[in-house]
Amino acid sequence: MDHSRIYNSDGRRSVIRNQASEAIEIPSVCKNLKPLRLKYNQVCELLNVTRDCLRKIIENDVTFPRFMKDGTSRQSAVYFDTEEIEEWYRNYKAKCRCER
């Protein structure tokens, strides 16, 4: 890989890559893939709800998919499985339409 080193005014080094080295062809199969897991905020955007509303759904709806924690600490990232969220929404939508 061809790099050029440039020194900033404060003496730190920066690496600049040539444009030719950054042009990586991504296969078309990869462009259409869905993410396997979604972050908490991504689920909020997908369902068009606020964080507080999603928290209430998680607490009150036993059919809502359980989240996965990335670690054991309290601050660890929380993720949801994409397919489980989509399946829950399909069932939720069908349930809402049948009740009317």
Side-chain angles (χ1 to χ4, degrees), residues 1-2 10-11 17 22 25-26 35 42 46 50 54-55 65-66 71 73 79 84-85 87 92-93 95 97 100:
M1 190 178 284
D2 190 19
D10 58 356
R17 293 180 181 86
E22 291 187 21
E25 185 64 32
I26 299 173
Q42 290 174 317
L46 187 66
T50 62
L54 181 58
R55 184 184 56 79
R66 296 287 300 158
S73 72
Y79 297 99
E84 290 177 359
I85 294 293
E87 180 68 26
Y92 176 77
K93 187 167 59 170
K95 180 182 146 190
R97 288 184 176 165
R100 290 182 184 186

Side-chain angles (χ1 to χ4, degrees), residues 2 5 8 11 15 29-31 33 35 37 51 56 58 63-64 66 68-70 75-77 81 84 87 94 96-97:
D2 190 19
R5 297 197 187 282
N8 295 336
V15 176
V29 176
C30 295
K31 292 178 184 176
L33 289 177
R37 58 186 192 171
R51 288 181 61 88
K56 289 178 183 178
I58 293 170
T63 63
F64 194 81
R66 296 287 300 158
M68 302 170 279
K69 287 195 75 135
D70 206 19
Q75 292 86 10
S76 297
D81 183 57
E84 290 177 359
E87 180 68 26
C96 289
R97 288 184 176 165

Side-chain angles (χ1 to χ4, degrees), residues 1-98:
M1 190 178 284
D2 190 19
H3 299 297
S4 301
R5 297 197 187 282
I6 296 177
Y7 290 88
N8 295 336
S9 60
D10 58 356
R12 292 185 291 159
R13 282 188 295 168
S14 296
V15 176
I16 298 177
R17 293 180 181 86
N18 289 345
Q19 298 225 353
S21 64
E22 291 187 21
I24 299 172
E25 185 64 32
I26 299 173
S28 61
V29 176
C30 295
K31 292 178 184 176
N32 297 328
L33 289 177
K34 294 187 296 188
L36 294 175
R37 58 186 192 171
L38 299 170
K39 295 178 184 177
Y40 199 92
N41 286 340
Q42 290 174 317
V43 175
C44 290
E45 289 176 17
L46 187 66
L47 299 176
N48 197 26
V49 296
T50 62
R51 288 181 61 88
D52 190 47
C53 184
L54 181 58
R55 184 184 56 79
K56 289 178 183 178
I57 291 171
I58 293 170
E59 289 176 359
N60 299 325
D61 189 352
V62 294
T63 63
F64 194 81
R66 296 287 300 158
F67 56 82
M68 302 170 279
K69 287 195 75 135
D70 206 19
T72 57
S73 72
R74 185 175 174 156
Q75 292 86 10
S76 297
V78 173
Y79 297 99
F80 294 88
D81 183 57
T82 304
E83 290 182 12
E84 290 177 359
I85 294 293
E86 290 173 350
E87 180 68 26
W88 174 83
Y89 183 71
R90 280 191 290 274
N91 293 337
Y92 176 77
K93 187 167 59 170
K95 180 182 146 190
C96 289
R97 288 184 176 165
C98 289

